[in-house]
Amino acid sequence: WPGYRENLRPLLWLMQFKEGEVEGVRTPVGVIPAESELVMDGLEVPAEDMSRILTLDTERWRQEMGFREEHLAQFERLPEEIWEAHRRVAADLG
C-alpha cells in the first residue's frame, strides 16, 4: 500500500469479511480480498500493481512452508492442531 493511512482500506475489508458482507477469494493460505470488494476511492493504483498485490505467489509460499516446518519443529509438545493446520496449507499449495 502507498502509505500508512491507506492501511485502513484492507482493514475495512477485513471488518466487512468478518460481518459476511464480502466473500473474498479463497486461496490455499486463506481468503484474500477480491479487487472489486476493496474501496479504492481517491487512490490510483496501476492495474499491474493491483494484480500483483492480490495474486498469491505459490512458489514462495511453498518455500515459506518449509521454513515454517523447521520453526515449528523446534517446539516440543506443540499441539497437534497446529501441525494439522500446517499440513493442510502445505497440501493445498501442492
Side-chain angles (χ1 to χ4, degrees), residues 6-76:
E6 302 304 343
N7 288 341
L8 185 57
R9 296 170 194 272
L11 293 175
L12 288 172
W13 178 86
L14 191 58
M15 291 173 58
Q16 290 177 310
F17 180 72
K18 179 184 176 287
E19 296 298 321
E21 298 169 7
V22 294
E23 294 182 22
V25 176
R26 300 213 177 275
T27 75
V29 298
V31 179
I32 61 173
E35 184 174 353
S36 62
E37 296 172 341
L38 291 170
V39 177
M40 301 299 289
D41 299 343
L43 184 63
E44 297 291 327
V45 178
E48 180 180 304
D49 291 347
M50 187 57 90
S51 176
R52 185 172 181 204
I53 290 169
L54 297 175
T55 298
L56 186 73
D57 185 338
T58 306
E59 191 53 43
R60 286 189 71 174
W61 266 99
R62 285 185 190 121
Q63 183 182 29
E64 174 65 21
M65 293 308 289
F67 296 144
R68 288 178 182 212
E69 186 163 344
E70 288 177 25
H71 177 73
L72 293 175
Q74 298 176 67
F75 303 101
E76 294 181 27

